[in-house]
Amino acid sequence: MTDTEIFPQLSIPETLAAGPGPGNTDARVLAAFAHAGLADHMQADVLRGMIECKHMLRRVWGTRNTYTFGVAGTGWSGLDALFSAILPGDSAVVFVNGTFSGIDALTVRTRAASREDLKANALDPKPANVTVIQVPHGQSVTGVVIEKALADHKPTWAVMAHWETGSGRINDLRGFSDACLRHNVMGLVDAVSSLGIEDFAIDDFPGVVGWASCPQKGVLCLPLTYAPVSFADRYIAHLRENGCYTFVHNPIFEARHWGIVDGKDTAAGTYHRTHSGYAVAAFHEALRINLQHGKAQKAADYAHHEAALRAAVTALGCEVTSNMTSLVVLNLPGALAGREKELVAAARAKGFGIWPTLSEPVQVRIGILNQLSESAITEIVTRFAAEMNAMGANVDVGLALQALETHYAAAMAAE
């Protein structure tokens, strides 16, 4: 391209997001984003929207934590704020059973590393004060594993993903919280994949002092809006006493812009960063949709439709190894074993956005974020079977559709 040429206008086609996230954004959220008026970040309605988002978030999280708000950016931004209180030399135990808990562990190791640790391996530090407990891919982190690790190491911090999207496994949140309480450990939880999908209230888990999630999965907002976080008083007190090495993602500074000052709600925020009125409007509508759906009903709907998808792909000869309700992680039939990435690439080229796992062993991930209807699941199953057959699997899509029909008919009969 020469210096005088201009690229044509970018056009991104509609696709079916059928992976672990992001999910297809609700049309109401997109409309709220597009129709917001041009306003600066301190305009009265923008600030009012942020205050209302803060209160709605407390209901979504199930908490009375005053320090509950959204961190501008993706889920990584929320996690960065969550881990900001970890300082060089702090002792920590991190539980890893997939790609994303593994990245959490790398973040913790980087934050807890000394200058000497970073000089030894700047991109993958291995500080002795951080213990990483590896649980095999495809298995959940259990209360037994958590209890032993915290009893043995007595760390200041413990870190776990609630739902590990890399392998599709739910980890033992109750066991984690209880063990943190028993051993006087401050628990931090990555709830990127569970918030807005599982029906849980974080105040029921007092061993966990900090939580972070993301906007593009259960909350179903635009990926670049706000990552929900919530911090207990103990976390904030520790942060006030010890500080942290960030200004942008310092939870106390961030909270001030949301009208949270000195542990109390105030009438208006204090400037910390330039927020987008468009993003506030979209986030506000996404939270309204979540609350209108209802946490218990939404969780039941995900479980219902995941069970249908599970039955259908099993009828196609696949083996499901996950236990999340927004995602199935599966092994292909023997005839297609080893061709997972090829199948996923072919599907994505046709606008069918399924994913492989990002760590070994390679599996296929099919998600149902915001696809909570029989027609949506039927389309996902039909398109997946077509991709399998395009690679020579010769599966009977009729068997999969019969499995769906049986599942949905039984559910209707039970009502």
Side-chain angles (χ1 to χ4, degrees), residues 67-72 76-87 111 227 229-231 235-258 260-262 270-273 275:
Y67 282 86
T68 300
F69 52 92
V71 178
W76 293 124
S77 303
L79 289 164
D80 193 53
L82 175 72
F83 297 139
S84 67
I86 299 176
L87 297 175
R111 286 192 172 275
V229 295
S230 187
F231 304 102
Y235 178 102
I236 296 299
H238 183 90
L239 187 61
R240 284 188 179 281
E241 183 177 350
N242 295 278
C244 64
Y245 290 111
T246 178
F247 172 78
V248 175
H249 287 157
N250 183 313
I252 294 174
F253 296 162
E254 283 271 8
R256 290 174 181 170
H257 207 145
W258 293 84
I260 303 166
V261 180
D262 294 331
T270 301
Y271 175 71
H272 176 61
R273 69 161 81 231
H275 287 269

Side-chain angles (χ1 to χ4, degrees), residues 260-323:
I260 303 166
V261 180
D262 294 331
K264 297 178 182 179
D265 288 321
T266 63
T270 301
Y271 175 71
H272 176 61
R273 69 161 81 231
T274 302
H275 287 269
S276 161
Y278 304 104
V280 171
F283 192 45
H284 189 279
E285 188 62 13
L287 293 170
R288 278 173 24 87
I289 292 170
N290 273 262
L291 293 174
Q292 287 170 347
H293 195 155
K295 291 173 63 175
Q297 185 60 57
K298 194 177 182 189
D301 289 347
Y302 270 107
H304 173 52
H305 292 293
E306 186 274 341
L309 178 60
R310 176 184 293 262
V313 297
T314 300
L316 294 173
C318 302
E319 176 195 16
V320 176
T321 62
S322 55
N323 64 353

Side-chain angles (χ1 to χ4, degrees), residues 35-394:
H35 296 153
L38 181 63
D40 69 47
H41 54 290
M42 299 299 286
Q43 192 268 351
D45 293 303
V46 174
L47 294 176
R48 176 177 59 83
M50 293 175 70
I51 298 297
E52 292 174 359
C53 285
K54 173 182 65 177
H55 290 290
M56 287 191 284
L57 263 180
R58 290 173 187 165
R59 292 169 60 189
V60 172
W61 275 118
T63 185
R64 291 190 175 90
N65 287 346
T66 304
Y67 282 86
T68 300
F69 52 92
V71 178
T74 66
W76 293 124
S77 303
L79 289 164
D80 193 53
L82 175 72
F83 297 139
S84 67
I86 299 176
L87 297 175
D90 280 3
S91 59
V93 169
V94 189
F95 299 93
V96 172
N97 66 321
T99 301
F100 299 99
S101 52
I103 298 175
D104 289 344
L106 175 56
T107 304
V108 172
R109 288 189 281 115
T110 301
R111 286 192 172 275
S114 67
R115 291 288 294 273
E116 290 72 22
D117 293 324
L118 292 172
K119 285 184 69 174
N121 193 339
L123 301 183
D124 190 19
K126 302 290 175 60
N129 43 298
V130 178
T131 300
V132 177
I133 305 297
Q134 293 280 353
V135 174
H137 178 97
Q139 295 182 25
S140 297
V141 180
T142 66
V144 173
V145 169
I146 297 165
E147 170 62 28
K148 183 178 188 309
L150 299 193
D152 288 349
H153 297 284
K154 296 288 195 300
T156 298
W157 305 99
V159 176
M160 186 183 76
H162 184 192
W163 288 18
E164 169 52 81
T165 319
S167 55
R169 299 298 302 182
I170 298 175
N171 296 324
D172 187 352
L173 183 56
R174 171 59 59 201
F176 181 77
S177 175
D178 289 351
C180 287
L181 282 178
R182 275 192 297 272
H183 299 289
N184 194 31
V185 175
M186 289 186 286
L188 304 177
V189 166
D190 172 345
V192 160
S193 297
S194 57
L195 183 67
I197 299 172
E198 183 175 308
D199 183 16
F200 67 103
I202 64 175
D203 282 358
D204 292 338
F205 303 94
V208 183
V209 301
W211 305 76
S213 188
C214 76
Q216 77 267 30
K217 294 190 179 182
V219 175
L220 284 169
C221 196
L222 298 170
L224 290 173
T225 52
Y226 292 104
V229 295
S230 187
F231 304 102
D233 290 344
R234 183 181 177 190
Y235 178 102
I236 296 299
H238 183 90
L239 187 61
R240 284 188 179 281
E241 183 177 350
N242 295 278
C244 64
Y245 290 111
T246 178
F247 172 78
V248 175
H249 287 157
N250 183 313
I252 294 174
F253 296 162
E254 283 271 8
R256 290 174 181 170
H257 207 145
W258 293 84
I260 303 166
V261 180
D262 294 331
K264 297 178 182 179
D265 288 321
T266 63
T270 301
Y271 175 71
H272 176 61
R273 69 161 81 231
T274 302
H275 287 269
S276 161
Y278 304 104
V280 171
F283 192 45
H284 189 279
E285 188 62 13
L287 293 170
R288 278 173 24 87
I289 292 170
N290 273 262
L291 293 174
Q292 287 170 347
H293 195 155
K295 291 173 63 175
Q297 185 60 57
K298 194 177 182 189
D301 289 347
Y302 270 107
H304 173 52
H305 292 293
E306 186 274 341
L309 178 60
R310 176 184 293 262
V313 297
T314 300
L316 294 173
C318 302
E319 176 195 16
V320 176
T321 62
S322 55
N323 64 353
M324 286 172 52
T325 58
S326 62
L327 176 74
V328 296
V329 181
L330 58 87
N331 296 318
L332 294 172
L336 297 182
R339 301 179 68 188
E340 293 82 6
K341 291 184 178 180
E342 180 185 349
L343 185 148
V344 167
R348 295 184 67 83
K350 299 169 188 172
F352 180 39
I354 59 177
W355 282 73
T357 54
L358 303 179
S359 56
E360 300 293 338
V362 178
Q363 297 176 283
V364 175
R365 297 185 289 168
I366 307 175
I368 60 171
L369 290 169
N370 213 22
Q371 305 293 328
L372 301 180
S373 69
E374 182 176 353
S375 61
I377 301 301
T378 300
E379 180 182 1
I380 289 171
V381 169
T382 302
R383 294 180 72 166
F384 182 60
E387 293 302 328
M388 292 178 67
N389 282 335
M391 293 178 62
N394 196 30

